[in-house]
Amino acid sequence: MDHHEAVRKFEQLMLKEADHAHEVATELEALAPMLTTENSRQLAELQIKASHKQAKEFRELSEKIKEK
């Protein structure tokens, strides 16, 4: 594997992780209203925000990788 292949693979992995984080956030958004306790809903909301942030950060990292 040469440098360019490694960079492409790195970029692909970051995009894959971004997609996964986005999927987690989407699934939690659907589940949160069904949770019976306020504490559980609050924890789900925190994780939703964290997953969206993580997806954004992985996408930004992928862009930075591509630029170099």
Side-chain angles (χ1 to χ4, degrees), residues 10-20 58-59 62:
F10 188 14
E11 178 187 1
Q12 290 171 350
L13 287 171
M14 292 304 97
L15 289 174
K16 183 178 175 181
E17 288 298 320
D19 289 343
H20 178 70
F58 278 127
R59 290 191 198 289
S62 173

Side-chain angles (χ1 to χ4, degrees), residues 2-38:
D2 69 5
H3 171 74
H4 295 292
E5 288 176 290
V7 169
R8 278 193 301 276
K9 181 69 175 175
F10 188 14
E11 178 187 1
Q12 290 171 350
L13 287 171
M14 292 304 97
L15 289 174
K16 183 178 175 181
E17 288 298 320
D19 289 343
H20 178 70
H22 180 74
E23 287 176 28
V24 168
T26 301
E27 288 185 40
L28 281 172
E29 287 170 338
L31 291 174
M34 295 178 222
L35 296 172
T36 57
T37 66
E38 183 62 27

